[in-house]
Amino acid sequence: MLRPLSACLAALVVACASPAPATLTPAPAAGVSALAPGAALTPAQRAWVDRTLASLSLRERAGQMVMVWVLGDYTNADDSTFAEVRRWIVNDGIGGVSMSLGTPIEVAAKLEAFQKLARVPLLASSDLEPALGRLEGAVFSHYLMESGGATVFPTAMAIAATGRDQDAYDVGQIIGREARAVGIHVNFAPTVDVNNNPQNPVINTRSFGEDAARVARLSALFVQGSQAAGTMATAKHFPGHGDTDVDSHAGLPVVSADWARFRQVELVPFRAAIDAGAALVMSAHIALPALEGDSTTPATLAPRIMTGLLRDSLGFRGVAITDALTMDGVGKGYGVAESTVLAIKAGADILLKPSDPTGAIDAIVAAVERGELSRERIDASVRRVLELKARAGVAFNRFVSLDSLRRIVGAPAHRAAAHDIARRAVTLLRDRGALVPSAGKRTLLIQYMPETELRAGRAFAASLRSGNPSLRVVKLSPSTAASQLDALAPAIAGAERVVLAAYVRRIEGEGRPAIPSHIAEWMAGVARADSAAAGQRLVFVAFGNPYLLRQLPAVGSYLVTYGVGDALERAAADAIGGRARITGTTPVSLPGFFSRGDGIQR
C-alpha cells in the first residue's frame, strides 16, 4: 500500500535537514552564488525579467517553455532543417535550443544566427557530459581524419576512479569555460544518478559510482566548477535513474526501491547538487511505484515527484526541465498535447525536445483557455526561465567572440588535464600472472569494436607499438564469423603476450552495453585456455563498460578505463607498457568479481 504523501514528505524533510553526507573538497567558488536559484537578481536583471514577461502574449509565454533539439552541423540558410528551426524561433517564439554534435565554430555560428532571429534571447544548452563530446567535431571517414573539437574528458566514472575529488571541480570548470565560449549557457550535467545496478544500460559510466555519499560529493563539486565558469549545471535524472535495467530511450524503466532506500541513496546526490546551487534539475522517464503508486506513470509526469518531492521537500527553486520528450520512456502512450500538459501539471518549467514544438505550444495555450492550466502557473515557469536568462547574461549579450573561442576551446592546458585524469583513472582489477606491466614481449593485440566505432583502437595500437615494433593487430566486429575467430589460433599460440581489448560503451537506445555473445564466448574460451596454461599470457582491457568481466570470468589480468577515447587509450597503453603508474580504484562493484575501492597499484 502506498504510504500517504504527507507522511512521505514529512520523513524526507527530516532527512533533508540532516547534515550532508560528506564535506566538500575546498575549491574556489567564484561566480557560483550569482547563478544559484536562490541568489538575488541585480536591479537590472529584475527589471529585464519584469519588462520582458509583461511584453509577452500567452502564446509567447508558452513558447518560452519549449526547448528544441538542433544538430550542430553546417546547413545553408535555406536548408529545410534550418528553415524549420527559424520558424520555431520566429513564429512560435521558442525559449531555447539544445545543440548537439558539431564543431565548436559551427555551433557558435549557428547559435549566433538563431539569436539574431529571436525576439527574446534564446537559452542555449547542450549535453556536455565528459564522455559524450558533443562538440568533438566530425570524422572524415575515408581518411579517419578529425576536424577538431572541444576538450573531451574521461567519463564521470573514470573521474571518480582517480580518487582525487578536485578532478570533478576542475572538469566542471573547464567544460563550463568551453561551453560559454561557444555560446552555450546550460550544460545537461552532471549525471548524479547512483549506478548501483551493474545491469544498467543507460547510466553506467555516466555516473560517479555506486556510493551515494561519494556521488553526492563529486556531483556538488562539478556543479560548483561549472557555475564558477559561468555555465549553469543540470542535476539529472531526478529522482534517480541508477537502479534500472531498461534504457528509458527505448522503454519505461521501473524502479522498485522503497521510500527508505530512495531517501538514503538516490536522493542524497540531488540534495547535494541543489545545495551546491545547481540551476536546473532534469526529470527521469522512470516509474516509481513506491513514490507514485503505479508502474506506468513516468516521474516526468508525476506531481508527487516533480512538485511534492523536488520543490516542496528538497526545496529546489530553480528550473525543472524534462528529459527529452521524444524518448519512449515518456513518448509511448502519450500524445504531444497530453504529455505537454501533464508535464507542466507535474512541475516542469521547460519541455525538452517535444516531437512537435508547435503542437506543444498550442496545447499549453488551449489548456489555459479551457481552465486546465492557470495563467499563474504558466507565468511562474516563464519567470523562472527568464530569470535563468538574466543570470546567464544572455539577456544582455547574446553573442560570443569567435576570436575568444579559438583561445579557449580545446586549449592545450585543457587537453593536458584530460590526459592526466585518464592516466590516473586506469584501474587494474586482476593480474594473477603479474603480466602488467609488460614491455618488449612479442604481442598480439586483438581488438573488438562495433562498426560504428571508426576511430576506436587506433591510439591504443599506436601507443602499444611505440614500445613494441613487432606488435600484430587484429580487429574483430559483430560480423566476424566463427571461422575467422578459429583461424586466429596459430597467431595466439605463437605470441608471448596476448592483449584482448573490447570497446563497448553505452549508446542511447541500443540496449545493453556488452560484447556480442559469439565474440564473448570465443574470448572466454581463449581466457580459459590461458588460465589453464602453465604460463599465463592474456591481458584483457575493457574500454567503456567496466562490468565486462562477467562475460569473461576466467580472465587472469583485467584492466579497465571506464570509457572510449584517445586519452584513455593512450593511458591504458602506457599502463601496460610500464610507462605510467597504475593508481586507479574502481568506484563500483561487481558481486563475485570485484568490490568498490579495488585496484592493484603498480
Side-chain angles (χ1 to χ4, degrees):
M1 180 176 179
L2 181 65
R3 194 175 176 187
L5 181 60
S6 59
C8 291
L9 297 183
L12 188 59
V13 167
V14 172
C16 290
S18 62
T23 303
L24 296 178
T25 300
V32 172
S33 60
L35 297 184
L41 295 175
T42 66
Q45 290 172 334
R46 177 62 61 192
W48 181 86
V49 171
D50 292 342
R51 183 173 65 252
T52 304
L53 181 59
S55 73
L56 299 175
S57 67
L58 172 60
R59 196 170 194 283
E60 289 171 331
R61 295 181 191 203
Q64 288 298 301
M65 299 176 66
V66 172
M67 181 175 283
V68 303
W69 179 88
V70 179
L71 196 60
D73 61 339
Y74 169 78
T75 50
N76 183 274
D78 293 323
D79 184 87
S80 61
T81 59
F82 193 94
E84 183 177 51
V85 180
R86 180 168 56 229
R87 177 173 55 79
W88 289 331
I89 295 171
V90 175
N91 297 349
D92 295 325
I94 58 169
V97 294
S98 180
M99 301 302 295
S100 179
L101 300 179
T103 63
I105 291 290
E106 179 53 37
V107 169
K110 213 166 192 177
L111 283 172
E112 179 175 291
F114 293 153
Q115 292 287 13
K116 288 178 180 178
L117 295 170
R119 177 192 164 193
V120 178
L122 297 167
L123 190 68
S125 66
S126 188
D127 197 339
L128 300 176
E129 290 180 48
L132 297 184
R134 297 290 186 182
L135 305 183
E136 260 185 288
V139 173
F140 294 96
S141 58
H142 186 68
Y143 301 101
L144 287 184
M145 181 188 296
E146 285 186 89
S147 64
T151 305
V152 180
F153 281 93
T155 61
M157 194 171 286
I159 293 168
T162 69
R164 181 179 180 268
D165 290 357
Q166 183 71 26
D167 288 334
Y169 181 94
D170 294 343
V171 171
Q173 188 175 50
I174 293 173
I175 292 175
R177 191 178 298 145
E178 296 197 2
R180 283 312 299 258
V182 300
I184 290 171
H185 317 108
V186 173
N187 184 5
F188 293 149
T191 295
V192 307
D193 303 309
V194 180
N195 199 77
N196 45 14
N197 186 342
Q199 301 285 352
N200 197 319
V202 65
I203 302 302
N204 201 277
T205 58
R206 301 165 71 192
S207 166
F208 286 114
E210 68 181 24
D211 177 62
R214 184 99 194 284
V215 173
R217 193 163 67 247
L218 297 179
S219 297
L221 284 165
F222 187 99
V223 167
Q224 290 180 327
S226 177
Q227 299 195 167
T231 296
M232 296 181 172
T234 307
K236 64 184 186 186
H237 307 80
F238 188 79
H241 204 326
D243 191 10
T244 61
D245 58 8
V246 172
D247 185 345
S248 53
H249 294 85
L252 178 65
V254 177
V255 179
S256 58
D258 61 19
W259 181 259
R261 220 288 296 281
F262 257 94
R263 191 172 64 240
Q264 296 165 6
V265 179
E266 277 79 4
L267 294 180
V268 172
F270 284 100
R271 184 171 65 238
I274 290 169
D275 289 346
L280 299 93
V281 169
M282 179 180 285
S283 67
H285 301 328
I286 57 176
L288 304 129
L291 276 65
E292 178 58 18
D294 65 65
S295 300
T296 58
T297 302
T300 297
L301 308 182
R304 292 191 189 194
I305 295 169
M306 297 309 299
T307 296
L309 184 52
L310 178 60
R311 296 212 184 274
D312 297 343
S313 295
L314 293 184
F316 180 61
R317 295 294 174 261
V319 167
I321 183 171
T322 70
D323 205 343
L325 292 175
T326 52
M327 293 165 58
D328 282 349
V330 73
K332 285 184 176 178
Y334 298 92
V336 172
E338 185 181 15
S339 61
T340 293
V341 174
L342 288 176
I344 295 172
K345 283 183 174 181
D349 299 308
I350 294 178
L351 308 168
L352 177 62
K353 199 181 176 183
S355 58
D356 178 5
T358 304
I361 294 169
D362 290 341
I364 297 171
V365 174
V368 172
E369 290 176 341
R370 66 175 176 265
E372 189 174 354
L373 291 172
S374 69
R375 285 180 177 267
E376 292 75 17
R377 170 66 188 86
I378 300 304
D379 285 356
S381 284
V382 177
R383 181 172 288 278
R384 288 192 190 102
V385 172
L386 294 177
E387 288 182 355
L388 207 62
K389 294 182 179 185
R391 295 183 196 281
V394 68
F396 308 101
N397 182 14
R398 308 181 186 209
F399 308 113
V400 298
S401 164
L402 295 186
D403 291 336
S404 296
L405 186 159
R406 286 196 179 278
R407 292 195 298 270
I408 296 171
V409 178
H414 295 176
R415 296 189 187 276
H419 282 275
D420 179 54
I421 290 171
R423 188 177 66 253
R424 290 184 285 109
V426 173
T427 306
L428 183 62
L429 289 171
R430 275 188 188 175
D431 196 22
R432 293 173 185 157
L435 305 183
V436 180
S438 61
K441 300 288 186 179
R442 189 170 63 256
T443 301
L444 172 66
L445 170 59
I446 303 174
Q447 304 193 95
Y448 164 79
M449 67 279 290
E451 289 90 344
T452 52
E453 293 285 359
L454 298 179
R455 299 185 64 253
R458 296 179 75 213
F460 184 55
S463 295
L464 280 182
R465 184 173 281 116
S466 67
N468 190 344
S470 63
L471 178 76
R472 180 183 174 188
V473 181
V474 175
K475 288 192 175 184
L476 310 178
S477 74
S479 61
T480 301
S483 58
Q484 294 172 291
L485 297 174
D486 293 340
L488 293 174
I492 293 173
E496 294 178 301
R497 184 76 70 242
V498 177
V499 177
L500 287 180
Y503 300 80
V504 181
R505 64 169 131 190
R506 178 212 63 83
I507 299 177
E508 296 170 359
E510 291 199 4
R512 300 185 185 283
I515 305 171
S517 58
H518 75 288
I519 301 288
E521 289 168 6
W522 176 80
M523 287 184 171
V526 174
R528 285 193 299 271
D530 184 69
S531 295
Q536 296 182 359
R537 300 173 298 142
L538 177 65
V539 177
F540 184 86
V541 185
F543 287 103
N545 184 3
Y547 303 110
L548 292 181
L549 187 58
R550 286 176 300 188
Q551 294 187 276
L552 292 86
V555 162
S557 295
Y558 185 64
L559 193 80
V560 298
T561 68
Y562 313 97
V564 175
D566 287 358
L568 289 168
E569 290 188 26
R570 293 189 183 101
D574 287 346
I576 291 174
R579 298 186 294 271
R581 297 174 60 206
I582 302 175
T583 59
T585 57
T586 179
V588 293
S589 63
L590 184 60
F593 295 94
F594 55 84
S595 301
R596 186 176 73 244
D598 283 357
I600 301 169
Q601 309 292 294
R602 288 283 163 81

